[in-house]
Amino acid sequence: MYFILFIGISIISWLVQHNLTNKFRKYSHVPIGSSMRGRDIAAQMLRDNGINNVSISSTPGQLTDHFNPANMTVNLSDVVYGSDSVAAAAVAAHECGHAVQHHTGYSMLVLRSKLVPVVSFASKWVSWVLLAGIFAVESFPQLLMAGIALFALTTLFSLVTLPVEIDASRRAIKWLNTAGVTDSYTHAMAQDALRAAAYTYVVAAISSLATLSYYVMILMRRRD
């Protein structure tokens, strides 16, 4: 039953990712209706929110856009940084949404930031501990329990990430509208693009929960 569940989640994950890629490819060819590029939109959103200590830079790759609170930079992929498309506007505003979260001390972002070093450690060892724990579950179940605890931390991180990403998109959509960057035609597209991106985090959280449940079930079966 668990294998069927994992196959189902894998298929859904692929479909969601495929949908996201198609949405951004489609909206990358629709101009925002002004001469503003991704970098310009990011700069204006930061200014409008009173943020003057965050720089904007270009980073290689696709969908590599991110806000880095360590060096206070909004990093936009090449296709977003210099593009005047709806997709670029949505992504640039979303990443600036994270900068606004940091600026205002958004609680879930603060929590996620505190979890980063712990999750980095857990991610490094969790696979090995779980594998060893499964093999030694009859003689040394505590090892599997330790692996489950480590995996639970990564699941918690995934769950905390979900509201952080949704809130950043909410801030982005609201600002794009109030700042007049999007009109009635392009605003719906920006919303659609960010909604498609949010679904990937939803699926990731569900997948992590299902996997955690699977390892707990292995431990419970041993006890039975």
Side-chain angles (χ1 to χ4, degrees), residues 183-221:
D183 55 27
S184 58
Y185 175 66
T186 56
H187 192 70
M189 296 180 184
Q191 281 183 307
D192 190 34
L194 291 180
R195 189 182 302 113
Y199 287 150
T200 63
Y201 294 100
V202 173
V203 172
I206 293 173
S207 176
S208 188
L209 278 172
T211 304
L212 178 62
S213 300
Y214 172 71
Y215 291 125
V216 171
M217 186 62 67
I218 292 176
L219 181 63
M220 296 302 292
R221 283 178 179 173

Side-chain angles (χ1 to χ4, degrees), residues 45-46 49 51 95-105 171:
M45 184 170 175
L46 292 175
N49 283 276
I51 301 173
E95 298 308 330
C96 286
H98 289 308
V100 175
Q101 289 174 335
H102 185 273
H103 181 69
T104 59
R171 293 173 190 264

Side-chain angles (χ1 to χ4, degrees), residues 2 6 14-15 21 27 29 35 39 56-57 59 101 117 134 137 148 156 158 192 202 206-207:
Y2 271 98
F6 289 139
W14 181 85
L15 290 173
T21 302
Y27 298 139
H29 297 290
S35 59
R39 60 179 180 269
I56 303 163
S57 63
T59 185
Q101 289 174 335
I134 290 172
V137 67
I148 289 173
L156 176 62
S158 182
D192 190 34
V202 173
I206 293 173
S207 176

Side-chain angles (χ1 to χ4, degrees), residues 24-34 36-38 41 79-80 82-92 181-182 186 190:
F24 274 88
R25 183 184 296 118
K26 175 183 177 181
Y27 298 139
S28 292
H29 297 290
V30 180
I32 198 66
S34 70
M36 296 181 72
R37 310 284 173 171
I41 290 169
V79 293
V80 170
S83 173
D84 64 346
S85 69
V86 171
V91 171
V181 176
T182 53
T186 56

Side-chain angles (χ1 to χ4, degrees), residues 13 31 45 52 98 115 123 126 169 174 214:
S13 179
M45 184 170 175
N52 52 24
H98 289 308
L115 287 172
S123 299
V126 64
S169 290
K174 182 178 179 180
Y214 172 71

